Amino acid sequence: MIKVGIVGGTGYTGVELLRLLAQHPEARVEVITSRSEEGVKVADMYPNLRGHYDGLAFSVPDAKRLGACDVVFFATPHGVAHALAGELLATGTRVIDLSADFRLQDADEWAKWYGQPHGAPELLPEAVYGLPEVNREAIKSARLIAVPGCYPTATQLGLIPLLEAGLADTSRLIADCKSGVSGAGRGAKVGSLFCEAGESMMAYSVKGHRHLPEISQGLRRAAKGDVGLTFVPHLTPMIRGIHATLYAHVADRSVDLQKLFEERYANEPFVDVMPAGSHPETRSVRGANVCRIAVHRPQGGDLVVVLSVIDNLVKGASGQAIQNMNILFGLDERMGLSNVALLP
Amino acid sequence: MIKVGIVGGTGYTGVELLRLLAQHPEARVEVITSRSEEGVKVADMYPNLRGHYDGLAFSVPDAKRLGACDVVFFATPHGVAHALAGELLATGTRVIDLSADFRLQDADEWAKWYGQPHGAPELLPEAVYGLPEVNREAIKSARLIAVPGCYPTATQLGLIPLLEAGLADTSRLIADCKSGVSGAGRGAKVGSLFCEAGESMMAYSVKGHRHLPEISQGLRRAAKGDVGLTFVPHLTPMIRGIHATLYAHVADRSVDLQKLFEERYANEPFVDVMPAGSHPETRSVRGANVCRIAVHRPQGGDLVVVLSVIDNLVKGASGQAIQNMNILFGLDERMGLSNVALLP
Amino acid sequence: MIKVGIVGGTGYTGVELLRLLAQHPEARVEVITSRSEEGVKVADMYPNLRGHYDGLAFSVPDAKRLGACDVVFFATPHGVAHALAGELLATGTRVIDLSADFRLQDADEWAKWYGQPHGAPELLPEAVYGLPEVNREAIKSARLIAVPGCYPTATQLGLIPLLEAGLADTSRLIADCKSGVSGAGRGAKVGSLFCEAGESMMAYSVKGHRHLPEISQGLRRAAKGDVGLTFVPHLTPMIRGIHATLYAHVADRSVDLQKLFEERYANEPFVDVMPAGSHPETRSVRGANVCRIAVHRPQGGDLVVVLSVIDNLVKGASGQAIQNMNILFGLDERMGLSNVALLP
Amino acid sequence: MIKVGIVGGTGYTGVELLRLLAQHPEARVEVITSRSEEGVKVADMYPNLRGHYDGLAFSVPDAKRLGACDVVFFATPHGVAHALAGELLATGTRVIDLSADFRLQDADEWAKWYGQPHGAPELLPEAVYGLPEVNREAIKSARLIAVPGCYPTATQLGLIPLLEAGLADTSRLIADCKSGVSGAGRGAKVGSLFCEAGESMMAYSVKGHRHLPEISQGLRRAAKGDVGLTFVPHLTPMIRGIHATLYAHVADRSVDLQKLFEERYANEPFVDVMPAGSHPETRSVRGANVCRIAVHRPQGGDLVVVLSVIDNLVKGASGQAIQNMNILFGLDERMGLSNVALLP
């Protein structure tokens, strides 16, 4: 039984870790921390957990108790994992960080986008970017895993078949992404209010969103070269879900894109290439650790449109984190992650 | 392994049976019928099922194939089970009917509320009303189970502790119930459109709703006498969930209502009596087979207010149906039903 | 042209006043105050106002500038109007207070429910409760008007025909009310987040809500005697709207309730008694200053069910405030308030 | 007073025409037709209209009664206006068609996209495309106006400043558009149900949507040459609103795009170019006849991103139709269209 610690468990990725781990036969949550909610039972804060974690309460972060865990998930705002990860690694505990702290390989770029110096650049060389469909082998032996962001997961999984195959014009990629409001977290912000985000749609951060460098880094790896990406995120009036609509120029009209995608993901348990002509709905992955993809070439032209959907809290965060844990500990990658999406 | 058949699987209770049974270790769906969708794979109609039922397709109802199953669920409009249940029972197949066909013990009352003669009155004496919290023993040996409706489940579970204890004035009970739109089914009706049911709230069927006689029948059983019930259902702009707000006069102010409810449901795996002062949210049971209840006596007066929430498609339909199946086949009642509610 | 000032215009009742006053031919907003947003143009904060108030910006409250207005609306949290109203009245400015500050006639009761001493008890004798359907004559000559709350408006308009006629058992009235989330205001509270309030329904403040004494006060006036009221508010996943479902025992079954309601409101421009058997939807009043009411006697029994819907921000706040202003200044009561509700 | 007829008034564009015309000082609805709802009062079908059109009922289409009107709006499925428009024009009645019947100048292209022969090709030469920002002069003297579709309005208004100025690479334009569900009409379709379209996002018709040729036709006119457009519509869980996210390559980085857009629309009453850096929300135009636009050049690159939002039922349909009527009859173009958008 894997002993699990969670740092910063009061947000949506925290409760989602708890929901999923409750069904995991080989993991047990031993510690969950929160400074503000010390002593509060998790089931009092999140009543959906009643009957599942009745003894578990939030405690203040304590390196010793966390260090006694086999693995610690960070479900924290950026910056927190920088401070604690090294100490935990030193005790032999594996770290799976759901925040952005170790996603960018370049500490300077991190500092630029996050507006503060990187707090643990010495750990970057060993941090593994936890996108199993790309890095499965490296994950197996990792000590420190950076779980990809939600937009980056949907976008990379949608584009890398084209990039790895060298088919797309990499200078002009577009990711028009739509996110549910839970992507903004559980913080009490006016913009996330029901009456502000409901019954409306808007783009945001068109000037530059923090996920842009992360996506670009991943696409460069796949393309083995520079990429030019325009990324426009949108806030959508739904709780969960990301719909990435991806545009790439593929001059060679003879290539069988459906086959390309199906072959690329043939052995991936959590990527579903849908039949030609499909339009994946975000609800088809609600609560499930799946990315569903469809590829189109409208009017037979040069521009290829890839539709890629995930649940931002599952394959875009907590589910993917557990998938990484499974790989890390040599378990069946699907363990605890086989539930069917909730539809309707 | 229990061989399962489903009649009429294209609606929301059908897909919900499939979602839940995919996680059930002792049951396997062998047949699912639909006249209109013959030959269509269930995963093509409901993409959330992709990867779980890839071989299963809808077939036309066939008594022989259904009769080869250990149990057949009816997820059909009223009237259909009347026609088929007898034939299946004759082959030794158990029948669990999610429709209203066998819920009312009185065939004449059924005919009055459903506007057509009862099609199988000879089966009524052996039909067991499948509310395990009341009828568990009878369910164990039943051949034909009538799964309670969604409003009736939430309302009965909320009121029966008061009625069984003889505390409430049974002549003036009120059930003010709010339902998500999935309660209206997947039929293409104008009133269920996103643009009609969204961003609005309304009462309906105040004159008399078909669940009224079913609820009254159950309350009479608990009260061992006549009851006067006013039932007002409301359509609420959410997909899943029922919130029953129940009003009963309890003149004896000395009774410890919290204790009464906790004791009544102490051994019930799927009824959660919340701490005193709680306000259960429907989302705390989304996708889960749970009824959460809180009991209040505002301003210490005579009027007791009980708040009772369920997911209408789970504890109000398909989850409760599987709970009945588990009891019927001597399995752990919780088997396949232990998933955590999806929040947020 | 009436010179209008608005104190505390950054919340939802503030922007709603601006929306409605933009269409009012006899009123012009001269001043709008906000300490936190000083200097910000209203159209920068609320882009729906672009093109309508391009010169208007928030300023810090200034008694002199406000005192130069003919009327000042308070769209503030409770307590603020206590401090400023007297000073403005002294300059001859009329005050229309949308907050709870002057709604309760009894300063002690106010202190009990609002947890602080009443700040201007000397003004209570002249404060007029601004429910035109009850107090039109008093409003005409008032200097200080307390605009009713949203729940109290829907509930009183639904019950007073029964109470004024002496038909209902006043000892056991029930108001089961459902409110859209905008009733909770624009404050950044976790409970009002899209991901908390969306796709869910819950009761709240069952123990006792601040609108309870206000409603009771109004019902006592109508009943000319004591009343026993149970009031249960619910949070509903929609932006605007209140649906009050009201229960009253009316033993005399011979009375023509439809006629009673129609006659009571025959001359009321903003109360619409719908045909017998109707179920008013909240969307039928979205954005409009209307209360729609239907009255039912289910199964011909003793219990009468009244359905009463308003838009909480219009007839439940800003629209009613302008209706009061129209009466106060001798204008056509409907001026600026004749827009059609937005449906769908 | 302009005598108005409406053909096919039971859908959302029909009720929206009624809502807006109720506030129009120079127009009065004399006839509204519906075969299925003959004799039903409009206020019985749409209770938001109660008190505004109490005498008006649906009647079967009658050329004589319609021909007595000064103008007839068609709010019908495609094909209906083909059959009736000619007859009405012969009587001197102006026709404003909200359907697609006269939007495409090429009858063969219409036939290809709509799957049936064009029913009135002889009227095409005089049909004027009713986008006032492009065609105001032609509208003034038109007899037959084709009101633009919702996607085409948002997309054209967002792109034509770039195209008219010859700045964009016209071979690779992209319109990634998100629509509220009301764009699918009031027909009882499964895909438009609350439980199907709610809490989910999906693309549709990626292969080719009927609005593609209409948009392309308009863009060709602006660009004075061929254009290559990829148009991907998405269904968004909100009732009203279109958000068009438009991508165009503009190699000349020296051009002041903000100024270009502001100047292009300086005299347009219903196009609002927002300040640089803005992200327009669809709710900022809910219920109002406005298109709000923001223009971005992310990271200073070649790709320009234009954000353009409208209410699909107002500036995308009924509001624009009335704007056309105002121009046609020499009225102030803003008459009856000055209401503020409903926010929140």
Side-chain angles (χ1 to χ4, degrees):
Chain A
M1 189 67 74
I2 302 167
K3 285 183 271 185
V4 172
I6 300 175
V7 178
T10 62
Y12 291 141
T13 53
V15 64
E16 194 69 354
L17 280 170
L18 292 172
R19 179 179 74 87
L20 293 167
L21 289 169
Q23 299 165 175
H24 196 290
E26 295 289 341
R28 191 174 55 220
V29 180
E30 300 278 342
V31 190
I32 185 163
T33 76
S34 163
R35 293 190 186 280
S36 61
E37 305 293 333
E38 186 193 354
V40 175
K41 289 187 181 172
V42 296
D44 286 350
M45 185 163 202
Y46 290 113
N48 62 322
L49 301 176
R50 285 174 61 84
H52 294 276
Y53 287 100
D54 287 349
L56 188 68
F58 294 106
S59 57
V60 289
D62 170 46
K64 199 167 161 196
R65 288 192 66 204
L66 289 169
C69 294
D70 298 307
V71 62
V72 168
F73 292 96
F74 282 82
T76 45
H78 63 267
V80 177
H82 284 169
L84 291 178
E87 192 173 354
L88 292 174
L89 292 175
T91 69
T93 297
R94 315 280 184 96
V95 170
I96 299 179
D97 178 22
L98 283 79
S99 86
D101 280 5
F102 297 102
R103 290 181 194 156
L104 299 185
Q105 285 296 309
D106 183 332
D108 290 341
E109 189 162 32
W110 194 94
K112 175 185 140 199
W113 284 91
Y114 289 87
Q116 62 190 78
H118 195 286
E122 71 283 3
L123 296 177
L124 283 178
E126 72 162 305
V128 173
Y129 189 69
L131 191 62
E133 292 77 7
V134 169
N135 272 348
R136 187 171 282 110
E137 285 311 308
I139 292 166
K140 285 181 183 170
S141 55
R143 298 198 314 153
L144 170 58
I145 290 173
V147 181
C150 47
Y151 288 125
T153 297
T155 301
Q156 290 176 77
L157 291 177
L159 285 175
I160 57 178
L162 296 174
L163 300 185
E164 289 175 353
L167 289 168
D169 178 345
T170 55
S171 69
R172 50 174 94 156
L173 301 168
I174 295 175
D176 186 292
C177 295
K178 299 87 177 169
S179 174
V181 184
S182 63
R186 194 167 169 269
K189 291 174 285 189
V190 169
S192 302
L193 293 176
F194 186 89
C195 298
E196 299 290 310
E199 279 293 307
S200 193
M201 157 68 83
M202 66 181 296
Y204 64 101
S205 297
V206 177
K207 191 176 168 187
H209 183 283
R210 284 168 172 173
H211 283 175
L212 174 61
E214 180 186 343
I215 302 172
S216 295
Q217 170 184 280
L219 299 184
R220 281 196 304 269
R221 193 181 330 201
K224 298 188 173 31
D226 269 355
V227 299
L229 171 70
T230 299
F231 167 50
V232 179
H234 298 74
L235 191 65
T236 309
M238 58 189 184
I239 294 174
R240 290 167 178 250
I242 284 188
H243 188 294
T245 312
L246 308 167
Y247 300 91
H249 283 265
V250 176
D252 180 354
R253 300 187 187 185
S254 71
V255 63
D256 183 340
L257 295 170
Q258 183 69 22
K259 192 178 163 204
L260 177 81
F261 274 71
E262 287 180 359
E263 288 181 357
R264 174 59 180 85
Y265 292 124
N267 298 315
E268 288 300 337
F270 294 120
V271 181
D272 173 28
V273 178
M274 298 187 71
S278 294
H279 299 97
E281 306 169 80
T282 60
R283 65 179 187 147
S284 76
V285 298
R286 180 164 46 215
N289 193 52
V290 184
C291 177
R292 297 198 202 277
I293 296 178
V295 56
H296 293 256
R297 193 191 275 277
Q299 287 88 50
D302 276 356
L303 198 74
V304 169
V305 178
V306 183
L307 312 173
S308 170
V309 303
I310 60 170
D311 182 325
N312 52 304
L313 296 179
V314 192
K315 184 61 177 164
S318 303
Q320 187 145 265
I322 292 168
Q323 185 182 356
N324 273 283
M325 180 190 78
N326 287 342
I327 297 171
L328 207 53
F329 288 86
L331 305 174
D332 181 332
E333 194 168 328
R334 296 163 298 185
M335 191 174 282
L337 295 172
S338 60
N339 65 300
V340 181
L342 195 73
L343 178 163
Chain B
M1 191 65 76
I2 301 167
K3 284 182 273 184
V4 173
I6 299 174
V7 178
T10 61
Y12 291 141
T13 54
V15 63
E16 193 69 354
L17 280 170
L18 291 172
R19 178 179 75 87
L20 293 166
L21 288 170
Q23 299 164 177
H24 197 290
E26 295 290 340
R28 190 173 57 221
V29 180
E30 301 277 342
V31 191
I32 185 162
T33 77
S34 163
R35 292 189 186 281
S36 61
E37 305 294 333
E38 186 193 355
V40 175
K41 289 186 180 172
V42 296
D44 285 351
M45 185 162 202
Y46 289 113
N48 62 322
L49 301 176
R50 286 175 61 85
H52 295 276
Y53 287 100
D54 287 349
L56 189 68
F58 294 107
S59 56
V60 290
D62 171 46
K64 199 167 159 195
R65 289 192 66 204
L66 290 168
C69 294
D70 298 307
V71 61
V72 167
F73 293 97
F74 282 83
T76 45
H78 64 266
V80 177
H82 284 168
L84 292 178
E87 192 173 354
L88 292 174
L89 292 174
T91 69
T93 296
R94 313 281 184 94
V95 169
I96 299 179
D97 178 22
L98 284 77
S99 86
D101 280 6
F102 298 101
R103 291 182 194 156
L104 299 185
Q105 285 296 309
D106 182 333
D108 291 340
E109 189 163 32
W110 194 95
K112 177 185 137 198
W113 285 92
Y114 290 88
Q116 63 190 76
H118 195 286
E122 72 282 2
L123 296 177
L124 284 177
E126 71 162 305
V128 173
Y129 189 69
L131 192 62
E133 293 77 9
V134 170
N135 272 348
R136 185 170 284 109
E137 286 311 308
I139 293 167
K140 285 181 182 169
S141 55
R143 299 198 311 154
L144 170 59
I145 290 173
V147 180
C150 47
Y151 287 125
T153 296
T155 301
Q156 289 176 78
L157 292 177
L159 285 176
I160 58 178
L162 297 174
L163 300 185
E164 289 174 352
L167 289 168
D169 177 347
T170 55
S171 71
R172 51 174 93 157
L173 302 168
I174 295 175
D176 187 292
C177 295
K178 300 86 177 169
S179 173
V181 184
S182 63
R186 194 168 168 267
K189 291 174 285 189
V190 168
S192 301
L193 293 177
F194 186 89
C195 298
E196 299 289 311
E199 282 293 309
S200 193
M201 158 68 83
M202 66 182 295
Y204 65 101
S205 298
V206 176
K207 192 178 168 186
H209 183 282
R210 284 168 172 172
H211 283 176
L212 175 61
E214 180 186 344
I215 302 172
S216 295
Q217 170 184 280
L219 298 184
R220 280 196 305 269
R221 193 180 329 200
K224 298 189 173 33
D226 269 353
V227 300
L229 171 70
T230 298
F231 167 50
V232 179
H234 298 75
L235 191 64
T236 309
M238 58 189 184
I239 294 173
R240 289 168 179 251
I242 283 186
H243 188 293
T245 312
L246 309 167
Y247 301 90
H249 284 265
V250 176
D252 180 354
R253 299 187 187 186
S254 70
V255 64
D256 183 340
L257 295 170
Q258 183 69 24
K259 190 178 164 205
L260 178 80
F261 275 71
E262 287 180 359
E263 288 181 357
R264 174 59 180 84
Y265 293 123
N267 298 313
E268 288 299 337
F270 295 120
V271 180
D272 174 27
V273 178
M274 298 186 72
S278 294
H279 299 97
E281 306 168 81
T282 59
R283 63 179 189 147
S284 77
V285 298
R286 181 165 45 215
N289 194 53
V290 185
C291 176
R292 298 198 203 277
I293 295 178
V295 57
H296 294 254
R297 193 190 276 276
Q299 287 88 50
D302 277 357
L303 198 73
V304 169
V305 179
V306 183
L307 312 173
S308 170
V309 303
I310 59 170
D311 183 325
N312 54 304
L313 295 180
V314 191
K315 184 61 178 166
S318 304
Q320 185 145 267
I322 292 168
Q323 185 183 355
N324 273 283
M325 180 190 78
N326 287 341
I327 298 171
L328 206 54
F329 287 86
L331 305 173
D332 182 331
E333 196 168 327
R334 297 163 298 185
M335 191 174 282
L337 295 172
S338 60
N339 63 301
V340 181
L342 194 74
L343 180 161
Chain C
M1 190 67 75
I2 301 167
K3 284 183 271 183
V4 172
I6 300 174
V7 178
T10 63
Y12 292 141
T13 52
V15 62
E16 194 69 353
L17 280 170
L18 291 172
R19 178 180 75 88
L20 293 166
L21 289 169
Q23 300 165 174
H24 197 290
E26 295 290 340
R28 190 175 54 220
V29 180
E30 301 277 341
V31 190
I32 185 163
T33 77
S34 163
R35 293 191 186 278
S36 61
E37 305 294 334
E38 187 193 354
V40 174
K41 289 186 181 173
V42 296
D44 285 350
M45 184 162 204
Y46 289 114
N48 63 322
L49 301 176
R50 286 174 61 83
H52 294 277
Y53 287 99
D54 287 348
L56 188 69
F58 294 107
S59 56
V60 290
D62 171 47
K64 197 166 161 197
R65 287 192 66 204
L66 290 168
C69 293
D70 299 306
V71 62
V72 167
F73 293 97
F74 282 83
T76 47
H78 63 266
V80 177
H82 284 169
L84 290 179
E87 192 173 355
L88 291 174
L89 292 175
T91 69
T93 297
R94 314 281 184 94
V95 170
I96 300 178
D97 178 23
L98 283 78
S99 86
D101 280 6
F102 298 101
R103 290 181 194 157
L104 299 185
Q105 284 297 309
D106 182 332
D108 291 339
E109 189 163 32
W110 194 94
K112 177 184 137 199
W113 285 91
Y114 290 88
Q116 63 189 77
H118 195 286
E122 71 283 2
L123 296 177
L124 283 177
E126 70 162 307
V128 173
Y129 189 69
L131 192 62
E133 293 76 8
V134 170
N135 272 348
R136 186 169 284 109
E137 285 311 308
I139 291 166
K140 285 181 183 170
S141 54
R143 297 200 311 154
L144 170 59
I145 290 173
V147 180
C150 48
Y151 287 125
T153 297
T155 301
Q156 290 177 77
L157 292 177
L159 285 175
I160 57 179
L162 296 174
L163 300 185
E164 289 175 351
L167 290 167
D169 178 345
T170 55
S171 69
R172 49 174 94 156
L173 301 169
I174 294 175
D176 187 295
C177 295
K178 299 88 176 167
S179 174
V181 184
S182 62
R186 194 167 168 269
K189 291 174 284 190
V190 169
S192 301
L193 292 177
F194 187 89
C195 298
E196 299 291 310
E199 281 293 308
S200 194
M201 157 68 82
M202 67 181 295
Y204 65 100
S205 297
V206 176
K207 192 178 168 186
H209 183 284
R210 285 170 172 171
H211 283 175
L212 175 62
E214 179 186 344
I215 302 172
S216 295
Q217 170 184 280
L219 298 184
R220 281 197 303 270
R221 193 181 328 202
K224 296 189 173 33
D226 270 354
V227 299
L229 171 70
T230 299
F231 167 51
V232 179
H234 298 75
L235 191 64
T236 309
M238 59 190 183
I239 294 174
R240 291 168 178 249
I242 283 187
H243 187 294
T245 313
L246 309 167
Y247 300 91
H249 284 265
V250 176
D252 180 354
R253 300 187 186 184
S254 71
V255 63
D256 183 339
L257 295 170
Q258 182 70 22
K259 192 178 162 204
L260 177 80
F261 275 70
E262 287 180 359
E263 288 181 359
R264 175 59 179 84
Y265 293 123
N267 298 313
E268 288 300 336
F270 295 120
V271 181
D272 174 27
V273 178
M274 298 186 71
S278 294
H279 299 98
E281 307 168 80
T282 59
R283 65 180 187 146
S284 77
V285 298
R286 180 163 48 215
N289 193 55
V290 184
C291 176
R292 298 197 203 277
I293 295 178
V295 56
H296 294 255
R297 193 192 276 276
Q299 287 88 51
D302 276 357
L303 198 74
V304 168
V305 179
V306 183
L307 311 173
S308 169
V309 303
I310 60 169
D311 182 325
N312 53 304
L313 296 179
V314 191
K315 184 61 177 164
S318 304
Q320 187 146 264
I322 292 169
Q323 185 182 356
N324 274 283
M325 179 190 79
N326 287 341
I327 297 171
L328 207 52
F329 287 86
L331 304 173
D332 182 332
E333 195 168 328
R334 296 164 299 184
M335 191 175 282
L337 297 171
S338 60
N339 64 300
V340 180
L342 195 73
L343 180 164
Chain D
M1 190 66 75
I2 301 167
K3 285 183 272 183
V4 172
I6 299 174
V7 177
T10 62
Y12 291 141
T13 53
V15 63
E16 193 70 353
L17 280 170
L18 291 172
R19 180 180 73 88
L20 293 167
L21 289 169
Q23 299 164 175
H24 196 291
E26 295 289 340
R28 191 174 56 220
V29 179
E30 301 276 342
V31 189
I32 185 163
T33 77
S34 162
R35 292 189 186 282
S36 61
E37 305 294 333
E38 186 193 354
V40 174
K41 289 187 180 172
V42 295
D44 286 350
M45 185 162 203
Y46 289 113
N48 62 323
L49 301 176
R50 286 174 61 85
H52 294 277
Y53 287 100
D54 287 349
L56 188 68
F58 295 107
S59 56
V60 290
D62 171 47
K64 198 167 160 196
R65 287 192 65 204
L66 290 168
C69 294
D70 298 307
V71 62
V72 168
F73 293 96
F74 281 82
T76 46
H78 63 266
V80 176
H82 285 167
L84 290 178
E87 192 173 353
L88 292 174
L89 291 175
T91 69
T93 296
R94 313 283 184 95
V95 170
I96 299 178
D97 178 24
L98 283 79
S99 86
D101 280 6
F102 298 102
R103 291 183 194 155
L104 300 184
Q105 284 298 307
D106 182 333
D108 291 340
E109 189 163 32
W110 194 94
K112 176 185 138 200
W113 285 91
Y114 288 87
Q116 62 190 78
H118 195 286
E122 71 284 0
L123 296 177
L124 283 178
E126 71 163 305
V128 173
Y129 190 68
L131 192 62
E133 292 77 9
V134 169
N135 272 348
R136 186 170 282 111
E137 286 310 307
I139 292 166
K140 286 181 182 169
S141 54
R143 298 200 312 156
L144 170 58
I145 290 173
V147 180
C150 47
Y151 287 125
T153 297
T155 301
Q156 290 177 77
L157 292 177
L159 285 176
I160 58 178
L162 296 175
L163 300 185
E164 289 175 352
L167 289 168
D169 177 347
T170 55
S171 70
R172 50 174 90 156
L173 301 168
I174 295 175
D176 187 294
C177 295
K178 299 87 176 169
S179 173
V181 184
S182 63
R186 195 168 168 267
K189 291 174 284 189
V190 169
S192 302
L193 292 177
F194 186 88
C195 298
E196 300 289 311
E199 281 294 308
S200 193
M201 158 67 83
M202 67 182 294
Y204 64 101
S205 298
V206 177
K207 191 178 168 187
H209 183 283
R210 284 169 172 171
H211 283 175
L212 175 61
E214 180 187 343
I215 302 173
S216 295
Q217 170 184 281
L219 298 184
R220 281 196 303 270
R221 193 181 329 200
K224 296 188 173 36
D226 270 354
V227 299
L229 171 71
T230 299
F231 167 51
V232 178
H234 298 75
L235 191 65
T236 309
M238 58 188 184
I239 295 174
R240 289 168 179 249
I242 283 186
H243 187 293
T245 312
L246 309 167
Y247 300 92
H249 284 265
V250 176
D252 180 356
R253 299 187 186 185
S254 69
V255 62
D256 183 339
L257 295 170
Q258 183 69 23
K259 190 177 164 204
L260 177 81
F261 274 70
E262 287 180 359
E263 287 181 357
R264 174 59 180 84
Y265 293 123
N267 297 314
E268 288 299 338
F270 295 119
V271 180
D272 174 27
V273 178
M274 297 186 72
S278 295
H279 299 98
E281 306 168 81
T282 60
R283 65 179 188 148
S284 76
V285 298
R286 179 165 47 217
N289 194 53
V290 184
C291 177
R292 297 198 204 276
I293 295 178
V295 56
H296 293 256
R297 192 191 276 276
Q299 287 88 49
D302 277 358
L303 198 73
V304 169
V305 179
V306 183
L307 311 173
S308 170
V309 303
I310 59 169
D311 182 325
N312 54 303
L313 296 179
V314 191
K315 184 62 179 166
S318 304
Q320 186 145 266
I322 292 168
Q323 185 182 355
N324 274 282
M325 180 190 79
N326 288 341
I327 297 171
L328 206 55
F329 287 86
L331 305 174
D332 182 331
E333 195 168 329
R334 297 164 298 185
M335 191 174 282
L337 295 172
S338 59
N339 64 301
V340 180
L342 195 73
L343 179 161

